[in-house]
C-alpha cells in the first residue's frame, strides 16, 4: 500500500558529487528526510569548467540554488579557430537563451557550483529540513528489495528509496551500485584521451591573451577527428578552462580516472602544430590532469526494487555535448517531480521509480549516443552549425538540436506518461 500523503520518505543518496547533491536538493524541497553518503573524507569537488545550458540551469533556479554566487559566465557564442594559425574561421551566436528557453546558458567552475549545491542541500534557507552528510562511507553492498546499504566501515542503513549517484569509475574503486542491482556495464576504452587544465585571468592578461577571458564563448580548435581543444571562461571570468582531446595511442594512458597529474611539457608535446597562442597558454597552464575516456553502452535498466541510478552511474557519456551535468540535473529534477509531497496519493515508491526510468532513460540515452558521435565530429555538437554542416550541406536527420535539448518541458513529458 502507498505510504500516507503526509509521511516523508527516508532517502539515502550514495555519492556527494553534482548529481547526488542535486537529487538531495530536489528531494529536500519536497519535504523528504535525506542522508547523503560519501565514500571519501569529504574535501569537495575538483575539476575545470562545466556548461549548464537552460535545461540544466532551469532546475538549479527552481530549487533555489544561488546561481549568481556560483559565479557563472553567461555564454553568448561558439567560435571555431584554425588549428595552426588560430584564425577565427566561424563564429555562431547562441542568441538570447533566457528569452528563448527561460534561463541563461551558464558556464561554471565545477568547484563553484558544487559549493552552492552543498549549501542548498545541507544549510538553509529553502524548503525542507537540511540534509545529513556522512563521509567515509563507501557502499559495498545493496539489497535493492529491502532498501539496505552496507558500507566498508561496517555500518549499514535502510531507506525507503536509495539513489545511486556514485559515478562512472571503472577502477580502482568502482561504482558498486550497478553490479549490485544486476547491471554489468559494457564499455570499451575510447580512442580518445583528454587533458584538462585551467589558467587564471591575471596570468592571461600578462601573456596578452585577455581576449580568451572576454569573448563569452566556447572556443574550439579542431573537432573533426580526435584532436580538439575546447576553451571557455568561468568563475566570473577569473578562470579559463581547457579540455584538450588527443588520440589515446599517443601515450597509451591506461590508468582510470580524470585526475591524473600531468605537466605543461607533456601537454605541449601532445600538440606540436597547434596555434602558437594556445601553446603559450599551455606553457603557463595550472592544475593539468589527464583523463582516460570510455564508451559505455546504454544500460538495460536503471532501477530495481528501491534503488535507482542517477547521473554518470546511469548514463555515462562523452563530454563533447556539454550535457553530462545537465542530464544529472534533469535526473534529479525528475525525482523531485515524481516524489512530490503528495505522491503517495498517486503511486507507490516502486511505481514512482518505474515512472522515473520511463521518463529519463529514452532522453538521456539519446543525448548519450549523440555525445559519442560528437567526439570526433563537431557538426554533431548541438548549437554548432544552425542547421548546416561546415561544408554547407543540410544536416542529416536525427541530429540532436538545441530546441530538443534546451527547450525540453519535463512536466509535459511526465504528464503524457501519466495518462
Amino acid at each position: 500500500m502507498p505510504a500516507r500523503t503526509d509521511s516523508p520518505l527516508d532517502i539515502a543518496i550514495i555519492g556527494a558529487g553534482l548529481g547526488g547533491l542535486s537529487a538531495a536538493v530536489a528531494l529536500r524541497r519536497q519535504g523528504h528526510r535525506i542522508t547523503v553518503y560519501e565514500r571519501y573524507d569529504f574535501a569537495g569537488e575538483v575539476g575545470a569548467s562545466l556548461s549548464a545550458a537552460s535545461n540544466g540551469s532551469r532546475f538549479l533556479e527552481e530549487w533555489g540554488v544561488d546561481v549568481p554566487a556560483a559565479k557563472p559566465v553567461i555564454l553568448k557564442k561558439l567560435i571555431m579557430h584554425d588549428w595552426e594559425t588560430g584564425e577565427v574561421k566561424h563564429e555562431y551566436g547562441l542568441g538570447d537563451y533566457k528569452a528563448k528557453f527561460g534561463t541563461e546558458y551558464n558556464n561554471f567552475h565545477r568547484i563553484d557550483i558544487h559549493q552552492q549545491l552543498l549549501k542548498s542541500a545541507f544549510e538553509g534557507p529553502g524548503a525542507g529540513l537540511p540534509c545529513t552528510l556522512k563521509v567515509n562511507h563507501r557502499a559495498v553492498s545493496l539489497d535493492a528489495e529491502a532498501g539496505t546499504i552496507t558500507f566498508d566501515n561496517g555500518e549499514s542503513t535502510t531507506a525507503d528509496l536509495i539513489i545511486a549517484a556514485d559515478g562512472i569509475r571503472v577502477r580502482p574503486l568502482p561504482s558498486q551500485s550497478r553490479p549490485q542491482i544486476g547491471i554489468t556495464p559494457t564499455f570499451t576504452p575510447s580512442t580518445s584521451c583528454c587533458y584538462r587544465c585551467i589558467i587564471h585571468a591575471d596570468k592571461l592578461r600578462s601573456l596578452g591573451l585577455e581576449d580568451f577571458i572576454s569573448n563569452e564563448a566556447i572556443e574550439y580548435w579542431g573537432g573533426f577527428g580526435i584532436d580538439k581543444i575546447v576553451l571557455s571562461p568561468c568563475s566570473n571570468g577569473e578562470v579559463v578552462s581547457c579540455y584538450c582531446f588527443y588520440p589515446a595511442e599517443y601515450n597509451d594512458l591506461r590508468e582510470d580516472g580524470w585526475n591524473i597529474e600531468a605537466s605543461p611539457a607533456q601537454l605541449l608535446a601532445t600538440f606540436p602544430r597547434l596555434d602558437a597562442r594556445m601553446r603559450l597558454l599551455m606553457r603557463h597552464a595550472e592544475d593539468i590532469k589527464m583523463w582516460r575516456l570510455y564508451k559505455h553502452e546504454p544500460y538495460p535498466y536503471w532501477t530495481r526494487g528501491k534503488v535507482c541510478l542517477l547521473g554518470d552511474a546511469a548514463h555515462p557519456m562523452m563530454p563533447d555535448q556539454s550535457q553530462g551535468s545537465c542530464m544529472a540535473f534533469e535526473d534529479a529534477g525528475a525525482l523531485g517531480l515524481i516524489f512530490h509531497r503528495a505522491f503517495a496519493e498517486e503511486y507507490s515508491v516502486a511505481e514512482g521509480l518505474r515512472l522515473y526510468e520511463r521518463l529519463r532513460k529514452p532522453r538521456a540515452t539519446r543525448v548519450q549516443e549523440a555525445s559519442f558521435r560528437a567526439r570526433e565530429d563537431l557538426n554533431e555538437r548541438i548549437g554548432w552549425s544552425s542547421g548546416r554542416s561546415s561544408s554547407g550541406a543540410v544536416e542529416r536527420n536525427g541530429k540532436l538540436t538545441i530546441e530538443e535539448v534546451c527547450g525540453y518541458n519535463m512536466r509535459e513529458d511526465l504528464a503524457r506518461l501519466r495518462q
Side-chain angles (χ1 to χ4, degrees):
M1 293 290 292
R4 287 168 47 201
T5 300
D6 60 352
S7 297
L9 296 174
D10 286 311
I11 298 174
I13 299 175
I14 304 173
L18 295 172
L21 292 182
S22 296
V25 177
L27 291 161
R28 174 190 174 182
R29 296 294 180 246
Q30 296 302 323
H32 301 296
R33 295 183 293 264
I34 298 143
T35 304
V36 180
Y37 297 90
E38 169 57 37
R39 69 173 69 185
Y40 299 115
D41 184 6
F42 195 66
E45 185 62 272
V46 297
S49 66
L50 66 88
S51 295
S54 295
N55 58 307
S57 291
R58 182 177 302 125
F59 284 105
L60 297 175
E61 291 183 2
E62 287 184 12
W63 300 330
V65 176
D66 191 344
V67 171
K71 302 184 287 187
V73 169
I74 297 171
L75 296 174
K76 301 292 181 62
K77 55 190 172 181
L78 307 178
I79 298 173
M80 167 58 77
H81 296 267
D82 181 82
W83 182 266
E84 295 190 10
T85 68
E87 178 186 355
V88 174
K89 297 169 62 178
H90 303 288
E91 186 172 312
Y92 293 96
L94 291 169
D96 189 335
Y97 263 56
K98 187 167 186 176
K100 191 170 184 180
F101 301 119
T103 57
E104 303 285 9
Y105 190 163
N106 294 303
N107 204 51
F108 298 106
H109 194 295
R110 295 183 69 91
I111 293 172
D112 294 335
I113 189 59
H114 191 260
Q115 285 296 317
Q116 294 309 312
L117 285 168
L118 279 170
K119 290 180 180 179
S120 294
F122 301 112
E123 303 173 14
L129 292 173
C131 307
T132 298
L133 175 65
K134 293 194 175 184
V135 299
N136 296 315
H137 279 66
R138 184 170 74 90
V140 293
S141 68
L142 294 175
D143 185 327
E145 300 304 324
T148 300
I149 312 170
T150 303
F151 301 96
D152 62 351
N153 60 10
E155 295 185 19
S156 63
T157 192
T158 300
D160 300 313
L161 169 61
I162 297 171
I163 300 167
D166 50 352
I168 188 178
R169 291 295 296 276
V170 179
R171 57 184 185 273
L173 293 176
S175 162
Q176 292 294 317
S177 304
R178 290 168 296 191
Q180 292 290 326
I181 65 171
I183 294 173
T184 301
T186 300
F187 62 90
T188 54
S190 171
T191 56
S192 305
C193 287
C194 181
Y195 290 96
R196 60 173 174 81
C197 61
I198 63 170
I199 186 166
H200 284 83
D202 55 355
K203 176 61 69 173
L204 287 169
R205 293 186 188 101
S206 72
L207 296 171
L209 302 176
E210 58 271 9
D211 55 308
F212 290 149
I213 306 165
S214 58
N215 281 340
E216 297 180 311
I218 305 179
E219 305 194 43
Y220 297 89
W221 289 254
F224 301 98
I226 292 176
D227 287 330
K228 182 173 72 174
I229 309 295
V230 185
L231 176 151
S232 59
C234 57
S235 202
N236 280 346
E238 288 305 310
V239 174
V240 164
S241 166
C242 295
Y243 290 89
C244 309
F245 298 88
Y246 65 94
E249 63 192 25
Y250 178 79
N251 58 10
D252 196 27
L253 177 64
R254 295 179 182 272
E255 184 180 351
D256 179 44
W258 83 315
N259 215 27
I260 304 162
E261 294 286 346
S263 67
Q266 288 173 286
L267 183 56
L268 285 163
T270 308
F271 304 102
R273 297 172 61 86
L274 182 62
D275 171 13
R277 297 179 82 231
M278 273 304 299
R279 285 179 56 80
L280 178 61
L281 181 153
M282 289 175 173
R283 190 171 292 113
H284 295 273
E286 308 157 41
D287 193 27
I288 305 170
K289 300 292 193 298
M290 290 187 287
W291 179 10
R292 187 67 178 94
L293 300 175
Y294 293 86
K295 180 180 178 182
H296 282 242
E297 298 301 322
Y299 303 147
Y301 55 87
W302 292 5
T303 66
R304 174 163 288 180
K306 297 179 179 180
V307 177
C308 71
L309 305 178
L310 180 144
D312 283 347
H315 42 72
M317 56 187 69
M318 294 293 180
D320 298 84
Q321 291 289 4
S322 301
Q323 277 288 313
S325 297
C326 284
M327 288 296 104
F329 297 155
E330 285 192 10
D331 292 345
L335 289 171
L337 293 177
I338 291 168
F339 294 105
H340 57 85
R341 290 176 178 273
F343 84 92
E345 293 182 342
E346 302 176 65
Y347 39 73
S348 66
V349 169
E351 290 167 336
L353 287 180
R354 288 193 289 272
L355 184 57
Y356 165 74
E357 182 172 316
R358 290 174 61 209
L359 177 66
R360 293 297 305 141
K361 192 171 186 296
R363 175 169 166 84
T365 299
R366 175 154 164 72
V367 176
Q368 179 188 38
E369 291 172 342
S371 79
F372 298 154
R373 297 194 302 271
R375 172 70 292 280
E376 298 184 23
D377 185 357
L378 191 57
N379 283 326
E380 291 286 349
R381 192 353 177 127
I382 57 169
W384 177 246
S385 57
S386 302
R388 291 187 178 273
S389 71
S390 58
S391 65
V394 175
E395 294 287 8
R396 53 188 168 275
N397 292 333
K399 178 184 172 179
L400 199 65
T401 67
I402 291 179
E403 288 73 20
E404 178 183 356
V405 173
C406 297
Y408 176 63
N409 188 320
M410 185 181 290
R411 286 175 170 80
E412 288 183 359
D413 204 5
L414 183 57
R416 176 183 58 80
L417 290 175
R418 283 172 165 167
Q419 290 176 353

